[in-house]
Amino acid sequence: MKRFFTLLVALAATTILYAQPTVERWGCFEVSFKHTVKGGENPFAVTLEATFTQGDKALTVKGFYDGDNTYRIRFMPTEEGTWHYTTRSSARTMNRQRGTLEAVAPTGDNHGPVTTDEDQGFRYADGKRYHPFGTTTYALSLFRPSTQEKTLRALEASGFNKTRFCILPKDYPTELEQPTIFPFEMKSCTTNAEGKKVYEWDFERPNPLFFQNVDRRILDLQRLGIEADLILFHPYDRGMWGFDDMGFEGDCRYLDYLIARVGSYRNVWWSLANEWDLVRTKTEEDWRGLTRHVVAADPYRHLCSIHGGSAVYFDYHMPEYTHVSFQDEGPLYTMTASGTMRQIFHKPVIADEIGYEGNTSMRWARWSPQFMTHLVTNGIMGGIYVTHGACYNTGEEDWVYWSDGGDMEGESWKRIAFLRQIVEEAPNPIRPADISRDEVTSTAGEGYYFVYFGQQIQRDWAFNIPRSNQRFKRGEEGQQFQVEIIDLWNMTIERCPTIFEATKVIDYRHYDKNHRQVQLPETPYLLLRITRVE
Amino acid sequence: MKRFFTLLVALAATTILYAQPTVERWGCFEVSFKHTVKGGENPFAVTLEATFTQGDKALTVKGFYDGDNTYRIRFMPTEEGTWHYTTRSSARTMNRQRGTLEAVAPTGDNHGPVTTDEDQGFRYADGKRYHPFGTTTYALSLFRPSTQEKTLRALEASGFNKTRFCILPKDYPTELEQPTIFPFEMKSCTTNAEGKKVYEWDFERPNPLFFQNVDRRILDLQRLGIEADLILFHPYDRGMWGFDDMGFEGDCRYLDYLIARVGSYRNVWWSLANEWDLVRTKTEEDWRGLTRHVVAADPYRHLCSIHGGSAVYFDYHMPEYTHVSFQDEGPLYTMTASGTMRQIFHKPVIADEIGYEGNTSMRWARWSPQFMTHLVTNGIMGGIYVTHGACYNTGEEDWVYWSDGGDMEGESWKRIAFLRQIVEEAPNPIRPADISRDEVTSTAGEGYYFVYFGQQIQRDWAFNIPRSNQRFKRGEEGQQFQVEIIDLWNMTIERCPTIFEATKVIDYRHYDKNHRQVQLPETPYLLLRITRVE
């Protein structure tokens, strides 16, 4: 109980004393109630919700049973100022409870939840630009606590600001740890004739301890400035436990419980599934229904998408999906094809799986770190975002793959962190400058270009930029430019001493007046940053 | 009048004698009425429609005024058997007219309208597979009759089975002929202070002569087995005549008139626009509205799409669109990226513009015939279709670009015709065999693969095929294969004498048991056809 109370204060950053509680805008306010059901009743069956109002605004959130005769309601104030709330519950003790809270200005790194903008990009709710540089730690909250802590320390040391992980336990050949705690109350566990464990669960009774750990990990990530891209369902149960086969109603009950618990955490994203098409127990119509259910249950409209198997695309035009989250190496092989992906969907696009860096025998987990860096850069230059993953078989006794959690592995993550800086320094999100025509040049605004040479080794480069400059002001004759040589693999930036001067347009391009060149180191993964000088 | 009657019989393949008229299923039945409006009334304002019924089926088509006090109703019977019809009209003489027609079995090349199938492909209504191999003849029905006849003769000699063309006049630097006949009645034509012609039109009075020519050209194409992909609007008016600025109501009136005239021709497709985003007079919402209007007015549900500017994608998930029709070279640069396009939309995909073969100074019209052939092949191997276009400046006096019509130009069209044969011989539509992983191998079924080397020159090729085979049965150890070397540029097919025998799966692929190779001619654009031998 002591731990529980510490957790409450720490997590919710809320003072639930007798005075009016204060919480930051986009922080999490929590109110709890004690209520004991009659013998034989299911405490999870007690309904509880609250409507929070401020002027015209009204947001309704569900409460949840957290074990120990304790019910909680969590709420993220979306505006500063005084919020009033009233509860409704099937339990008289928790019904028509009223209260107020004061939402104060956010502090520190609290920029609110991430949302999308009209330019197919992402921003925090306070307007600050957000560029997702994500990784994959499927079992972040599922392995033993020491592994979970390792994952968090590794994330802290990395440059990642988003991670994808599964809520429900995962069974896979790469999983070298087995869960010891489960999301539902176990009714029985027997061993059948083939020696296989057969579980029976009470899907109407979630396990609060399991979900308290989920809460904790999401808030750990929040403190690190990392968005939690929660994978709500996945195909890696495969008859092991049966959490992929709870029926549509059971699925919705699970979603409601999860959303009630973590929906008021600002760094939450909903990923309906990893590899939805490989989940044999659900149809496409189920996925549509579950997606609608999540969005209807989430008053904040957190980011929401769904991830498919290799090159399997859901109908991302469904208005419930805020962005595209695909698995497909294909479009990442070139900046051009990545650029087309940006054009198709009219929403931000994240390549959330493009294989993993690693040394395994599985072909989806054996990219070199160089090639992983290259694919990520192709995506970024094409105007989409790309998620990292790594799977190194180190042969050590207690290793797990980074794509599940544990210690950081591989080499590309450092380069991705370096690339993130370059992207964040740019005045606008990067896009192809002259889509469908120019295969190497991107733009981040007026007088701000990138040229990416990829795997090619080139000794020198004659200055040239396209006339087209996406939606930005075009270059003009006589403008002067400097060129920085960014070595993505060695993570260095060197400024070329020459100042280049643009010619008039010659066959759709500007060249340097004196045909001057940039000398390049003879190494691949070079990116030029070309910026106008006054 | 004589010409008109001949046309009627020839075009409609209908006997409208006193006996019960007979028409082929998917042919065009036509009934006409004489009616003279009172002085001062607009004959186009008279309403006329008919409902054709057979058992439970009921299809309603609009009639139209065809000049000379003549009104017509056209109807395409979608089933064999007896159809009954009843008219409704604001003119008493044409109201409540009843009749019957007998739809008989189709003959010859009449396979019905083209429709889509569940496998993201196309089929005729009778089930016969249709692979669109299209070209672009924007001004097919707009230039002088001798040029129109040239276009048709050239199409007949080509291997194309679809062509895109504009209904409304087009003004563009490439247009070396000017229209002499217009789609609406001209109220006045004056010359303004700058010497520019200023037209005033009566958009409520279409010009029957103009549209009779459209009818004729569609039926000319039908006789040649060519689908007419009608471009309903385009941005190439640009203040010249104002046909791009008739207002939403004017647009709908024009569409109703056109659909009444040609909607009962089986080879009609609706392309809402060429380069919709460049039409400055219409918003995205207008396009949605116009699309819905077309589909609502078309009882047959002809194929329907919309084409954008370079890499500008409409929301093709709108249910009104039967297929995707995009302009973007980007995805065609690789088979892989073309394959991704097939995966995204869950509808058939046609790259309806990927630049043109040609020798002009415009960068979108200067592909070499080799590269045009290559792009088309990339698309086909990726599982999408690709439309041809050509623009050669021959310097001759009365030339027009093939992309508008006239004499056939260039070299790629022959290779595309050759490729069409290969595609039509395959047992299924071609798809990437192992999407997102294998960048060269496609499949057309069990034991039926293609490997495309593209622009690469390779001396020999060690037999290997992927384990994955899209949705088809996978290969197995011990299976024997023959390999044909298809030279797409020289249009030859040579059979390699070796019979290859597949190994077990080694790292996701089958190899030849004895590591045998295929010797290749040292030339680019080679396609291997690998088929199982019993």
Side-chain angles (χ1 to χ4, degrees):
Chain A
M1 184 67 192
K2 182 167 164 254
R3 197 194 65 187
F4 150 76
F5 193 74
T6 312
L7 180 74
L8 189 71
V9 172
L11 300 193
T14 300
T15 324
I16 44 167
L17 302 176
Y18 299 104
Q20 177 166 305
T22 291
V23 63
E24 283 187 12
R25 183 184 183 189
W26 305 307
C28 184
F29 167 79
E30 182 176 298
V31 59
S32 62
F33 304 93
K34 284 284 179 188
H35 172 72
T36 308
V37 293
K38 287 186 198 133
E41 279 180 19
N42 181 357
F44 293 95
V46 174
T47 66
L48 175 63
E49 62 176 29
T51 299
F52 289 77
T53 57
Q54 181 186 126
D56 287 347
K57 279 201 188 307
L59 298 173
T60 297
V61 290
K62 282 211 165 90
F64 60 95
Y65 180 60
D66 201 21
D68 197 22
N69 301 322
T70 304
Y71 290 80
R72 302 184 193 286
I73 291 170
R74 289 177 181 160
F75 172 66
M76 173 178 76
T78 55
E79 303 291 337
E80 289 175 37
T82 307
W83 290 84
H84 301 271
Y85 65 88
T86 313
T87 65
R88 281 173 301 285
S89 176
S90 57
R92 202 194 280 176
T93 48
M94 300 193 284
N95 194 31
R96 295 181 175 277
Q97 301 296 302
R98 289 163 201 277
T100 60
L101 67 128
E102 191 64 25
V104 299
T107 61
D109 290 332
N110 174 3
H111 301 286
V114 174
T115 178
T116 60
D117 73 359
E118 65 301 321
D119 191 30
Q120 286 180 254
F122 295 96
R123 288 182 188 279
Y124 291 101
D126 73 353
K128 183 181 155 78
R129 171 66 65 193
Y130 170 80
H131 295 288
F133 279 79
T135 186
T136 314
T137 54
Y138 288 125
L140 183 140
S141 63
L142 295 168
F143 286 160
R144 57 176 180 242
S146 64
T147 308
Q148 296 182 28
E149 299 293 339
K150 267 189 196 171
T151 312
L152 289 161
R153 282 195 302 273
L155 278 168
E156 185 167 16
S158 78
F160 295 117
N161 61 10
K162 168 172 106 77
T163 193
R164 285 175 67 71
F165 63 99
C166 300
I167 300 299
L168 298 172
K170 183 171 174 260
D171 174 51
Y172 206 72
T174 59
E175 250 56 56
L176 299 191
E177 295 189 11
Q178 287 294 322
T180 52
I181 177 174
F182 291 98
F184 298 97
E185 202 175 294
M186 197 186 294
K187 283 157 99 172
S188 68
C189 174
T190 52
T191 306
N192 71 8
E194 291 92 51
K196 181 180 177 289
K197 278 189 180 171
V198 178
Y199 297 93
E200 208 186 342
W201 306 98
D202 185 346
F203 293 134
E204 298 191 16
R205 291 175 188 258
N207 178 357
L209 284 174
F210 178 93
F211 285 98
Q212 282 162 17
N213 186 57
V214 172
D215 299 351
R216 184 181 304 122
R217 296 318 177 194
I218 293 171
L219 291 167
D220 285 340
L221 293 171
Q222 187 180 104
R223 268 191 300 276
L224 301 176
I226 296 174
E227 300 294 306
D229 195 0
L230 305 183
I231 297 168
L232 303 177
F233 298 97
H234 61 68
Y236 321 115
D237 188 300
R238 306 181 300 178
M240 183 77 172
W241 305 292
F243 303 134
D244 58 353
D245 199 14
M246 304 189 283
F248 192 83
E249 256 186 60
D251 289 343
C252 289
R253 208 162 37 220
Y254 148 70
L255 291 171
D256 286 343
Y257 188 74
L258 182 71
I259 293 168
R261 294 197 72 106
V262 307
S264 294
Y265 294 159
R266 64 175 173 269
N267 61 325
V268 156
W269 301 20
W270 314 120
S271 179
L272 263 289
N274 216 64
E275 301 191 316
W276 63 268
D277 51 306
L278 302 182
V279 180
R280 304 212 185 284
T281 48
K282 298 187 209 311
T283 65
E284 207 172 311
E285 216 31 57
D286 288 336
W287 290 118
R288 289 180 196 276
L290 293 170
T291 302
R292 286 187 202 106
H293 189 87
V294 167
V295 170
D298 166 17
Y300 312 110
R301 197 64 176 94
H302 286 288
L303 293 178
C304 178
S305 196
I306 187 167
H307 165 282
S310 200
V312 177
Y313 291 79
F314 206 83
D315 174 7
Y316 290 107
H317 281 82
M318 265 182 74
E320 285 79 5
Y321 297 124
T322 52
H323 63 287
V324 177
S325 161
F326 73 82
Q327 170 177 195
D328 192 2
E329 285 87 336
L332 278 299
Y333 291 153
T334 62
M335 179 269 255
T336 312
S338 301
T340 290
M341 297 301 278
R342 199 191 96 80
Q343 294 294 105
I344 289 174
F345 294 103
H346 306 255
K347 295 181 181 183
V349 177
I350 306 181
D352 260 322
E353 192 173 347
I354 53 157
Y356 304 111
E357 179 187 341
N359 65 348
T360 77
S361 61
M362 300 163 297
R363 62 182 183 169
W364 50 266
R366 59 189 192 195
W367 291 134
S368 68
Q370 290 84 351
F371 197 63
M372 176 57 93
T373 304
H374 173 58
L375 292 182
V376 172
T377 310
N378 276 340
I380 292 292
M381 293 298 136
I384 66 175
Y385 296 99
V386 190
T387 297
H388 164 269
C391 281
Y392 278 92
N393 188 333
T394 60
E396 283 165 38
E397 206 172 280
D398 67 343
W399 58 272
V400 289
Y401 288 118
W402 171 251
S403 64
D404 277 317
D407 287 324
M408 183 64 80
E409 294 167 355
E411 287 294 326
S412 64
W413 67 271
K414 300 170 203 165
R415 281 74 193 184
I416 294 168
F418 178 68
L419 183 60
R420 178 179 163 194
Q421 287 174 35
I422 293 159
V423 170
E424 290 183 347
E425 281 167 25
N428 294 288
I430 300 170
R431 310 286 186 230
D434 188 13
I435 182 112
S436 181
R437 309 289 180 183
D438 182 320
E439 298 179 62
V440 296
T441 314
S442 298
T443 177
E446 186 184 343
Y448 206 107
Y449 303 86
F450 291 97
V451 169
Y452 179 50
F453 294 110
Q455 299 182 95
Q456 193 175 331
I457 296 175
Q458 187 163 333
R459 198 167 292 187
D460 37 42
W461 174 78
F463 179 92
N464 71 96
I465 52 172
R467 179 183 65 167
S468 296
N469 192 25
Q470 216 243 0
R471 65 181 169 85
F472 305 110
K473 197 163 181 291
R474 293 177 167 193
E476 282 173 25
E477 183 176 3
Q479 285 180 347
Q480 297 197 316
F481 293 89
Q482 69 168 17
V483 176
E484 289 161 291
I485 302 158
I486 300 172
D487 181 332
L488 289 174
W489 185 251
N490 294 308
M491 298 179 280
T492 59
I493 302 179
E494 194 200 336
R495 200 171 146 282
C496 170
T498 313
I499 296 294
F500 299 88
E501 186 178 327
T503 60
K504 68 176 184 190
V505 172
I506 302 166
D507 197 33
Y508 302 94
R509 299 191 84 77
H510 297 279
Y511 296 88
D512 175 61
K513 196 173 78 162
N514 298 313
H515 299 284
R516 284 167 295 198
Q517 297 187 314
V518 178
Q519 302 304 313
L520 300 173
E522 291 182 30
T523 178
Y525 315 113
L526 297 183
L527 179 69
L528 303 184
R529 180 163 56 188
I530 304 159
T531 50
R532 202 172 151 203
V533 291
E534 300 305 318
Chain B
M1 187 64 195
K2 185 172 162 245
R3 196 192 69 189
F4 148 75
F5 193 74
T6 313
L7 181 74
L8 188 71
V9 173
L11 301 193
T14 301
T15 322
I16 44 166
L17 301 176
Y18 298 103
Q20 179 166 301
T22 292
V23 63
E24 284 187 11
R25 184 183 184 192
W26 305 309
C28 184
F29 167 78
E30 182 175 300
V31 59
S32 62
F33 303 93
K34 285 284 177 185
H35 171 71
T36 309
V37 294
K38 285 184 203 139
E41 279 180 18
N42 180 358
F44 293 94
V46 174
T47 66
L48 174 64
E49 63 175 31
T51 299
F52 289 75
T53 58
Q54 181 186 128
D56 286 347
K57 281 202 188 305
L59 298 173
T60 297
V61 289
K62 282 210 166 90
F64 61 95
Y65 180 59
D66 201 21
D68 196 22
N69 300 322
T70 303
Y71 290 80
R72 301 184 194 286
I73 292 170
R74 290 177 180 160
F75 172 66
M76 175 177 76
T78 55
E79 304 290 340
E80 289 175 38
T82 306
W83 289 83
H84 301 271
Y85 65 88
T86 312
T87 65
R88 282 174 299 286
S89 174
S90 58
R92 201 195 279 175
T93 47
M94 299 192 286
N95 195 30
R96 297 183 175 276
Q97 301 296 303
R98 290 165 199 277
T100 60
L101 66 129
E102 191 63 27
V104 299
T107 62
D109 291 332
N110 175 3
H111 300 285
V114 173
T115 177
T116 60
D117 74 359
E118 65 301 323
D119 191 30
Q120 286 181 250
F122 295 95
R123 288 183 190 278
Y124 291 101
D126 72 353
K128 183 181 154 77
R129 172 66 65 193
Y130 171 80
H131 295 288
F133 279 79
T135 187
T136 315
T137 53
Y138 289 124
L140 182 141
S141 63
L142 295 168
F143 285 161
R144 58 176 178 241
S146 64
T147 308
Q148 297 181 26
E149 298 293 338
K150 268 189 197 170
T151 312
L152 289 162
R153 282 195 302 272
L155 278 168
E156 185 168 16
S158 79
F160 295 117
N161 62 10
K162 168 172 107 75
T163 193
R164 284 175 66 72
F165 63 98
C166 300
I167 300 298
L168 298 171
K170 182 169 174 258
D171 174 52
Y172 207 72
T174 58
E175 250 53 59
L176 299 192
E177 294 188 13
Q178 286 294 322
T180 53
I181 176 174
F182 292 99
F184 298 96
E185 198 173 298
M186 198 186 292
K187 283 157 100 173
S188 69
C189 174
T190 53
T191 306
N192 72 6
E194 292 92 49
K196 180 178 178 291
K197 278 188 181 172
V198 178
Y199 297 92
E200 208 186 340
W201 307 98
D202 186 346
F203 293 135
E204 298 190 16
R205 291 175 189 258
N207 177 359
L209 283 175
F210 178 93
F211 285 97
Q212 282 162 16
N213 187 56
V214 172
D215 300 350
R216 184 180 305 123
R217 295 318 177 194
I218 294 172
L219 290 169
D220 286 339
L221 292 171
Q222 188 182 103
R223 269 191 300 276
L224 300 177
I226 297 173
E227 299 294 305
D229 195 1
L230 305 183
I231 298 168
L232 304 177
F233 298 97
H234 62 68
Y236 322 116
D237 186 302
R238 307 182 300 178
M240 183 77 169
W241 304 290
F243 302 134
D244 58 352
D245 200 13
M246 303 189 285
F248 192 82
E249 255 185 62
D251 288 344
C252 290
R253 208 163 35 220
Y254 148 69
L255 290 172
D256 287 343
Y257 188 74
L258 182 71
I259 293 169
R261 294 198 70 108
V262 307
S264 295
Y265 294 159
R266 64 176 173 268
N267 62 323
V268 156
W269 301 20
W270 313 120
S271 180
L272 263 290
N274 215 64
E275 301 192 315
W276 64 268
D277 51 306
L278 301 182
V279 180
R280 305 212 184 284
T281 48
K282 299 188 208 310
T283 66
E284 208 171 310
E285 217 29 58
D286 288 336
W287 290 119
R288 289 180 198 275
L290 292 171
T291 302
R292 287 189 201 104
H293 188 86
V294 166
V295 170
D298 166 17
Y300 312 109
R301 199 65 174 93
H302 287 288
L303 294 176
C304 178
S305 196
I306 187 168
H307 165 282
S310 200
V312 177
Y313 291 80
F314 207 84
D315 174 4
Y316 290 107
H317 281 81
M318 265 182 74
E320 284 80 4
Y321 296 124
T322 51
H323 63 286
V324 176
S325 160
F326 73 80
Q327 171 178 192
D328 193 0
E329 284 86 335
L332 278 299
Y333 290 154
T334 62
M335 179 270 255
T336 312
S338 300
T340 290
M341 298 300 278
R342 198 192 97 83
Q343 294 295 105
I344 289 173
F345 295 103
H346 307 253
K347 294 180 182 183
V349 176
I350 306 180
D352 261 322
E353 192 172 347
I354 53 158
Y356 304 111
E357 179 188 342
N359 66 349
T360 77
S361 61
M362 300 164 298
R363 63 182 182 170
W364 48 267
R366 60 189 192 193
W367 292 134
S368 68
Q370 289 85 353
F371 196 63
M372 175 57 90
T373 303
H374 173 57
L375 293 182
V376 172
T377 309
N378 276 339
I380 292 291
M381 293 298 136
I384 66 174
Y385 296 98
V386 190
T387 297
H388 163 269
C391 281
Y392 277 92
N393 189 331
T394 58
E396 283 165 38
E397 206 171 279
D398 65 344
W399 59 273
V400 290
Y401 289 118
W402 171 252
S403 64
D404 278 317
D407 288 323
M408 183 65 79
E409 293 169 354
E411 288 293 325
S412 65
W413 66 271
K414 299 170 203 166
R415 281 74 193 183
I416 294 167
F418 177 68
L419 183 60
R420 180 181 161 192
Q421 288 175 34
I422 293 159
V423 170
E424 290 183 347
E425 281 168 24
N428 294 287
I430 300 171
R431 312 285 186 230
D434 188 15
I435 183 110
S436 182
R437 308 289 180 184
D438 181 321
E439 299 179 60
V440 295
T441 314
S442 299
T443 177
E446 186 183 343
Y448 206 108
Y449 304 86
F450 291 97
V451 169
Y452 179 50
F453 294 110
Q455 299 180 97
Q456 196 174 326
I457 295 175
Q458 189 163 330
R459 198 165 298 186
D460 37 42
W461 175 78
F463 179 91
N464 72 97
I465 53 172
R467 178 183 64 166
S468 296
N469 193 24
Q470 214 241 2
R471 65 179 169 84
F472 305 111
K473 195 159 181 296
R474 293 176 168 194
E476 283 172 25
E477 184 176 3
Q479 285 180 347
Q480 297 197 314
F481 293 89
Q482 69 168 19
V483 177
E484 288 160 292
I485 302 158
I486 300 172
D487 181 332
L488 290 174
W489 184 252
N490 295 308
M491 297 179 282
T492 59
I493 303 179
E494 194 198 339
R495 200 171 147 278
C496 169
T498 313
I499 297 294
F500 299 89
E501 186 178 328
T503 61
K504 69 176 183 189
V505 171
I506 302 165
D507 198 32
Y508 303 94
R509 300 190 81 76
H510 297 278
Y511 296 87
D512 175 61
K513 198 172 79 162
N514 297 312
H515 299 285
R516 284 167 293 197
Q517 297 187 313
V518 178
Q519 302 305 313
L520 300 173
E522 291 182 28
T523 177
Y525 316 113
L526 296 184
L527 180 69
L528 304 184
R529 180 164 54 188
I530 304 159
T531 50
R532 201 172 153 204
V533 288
E534 299 307 317

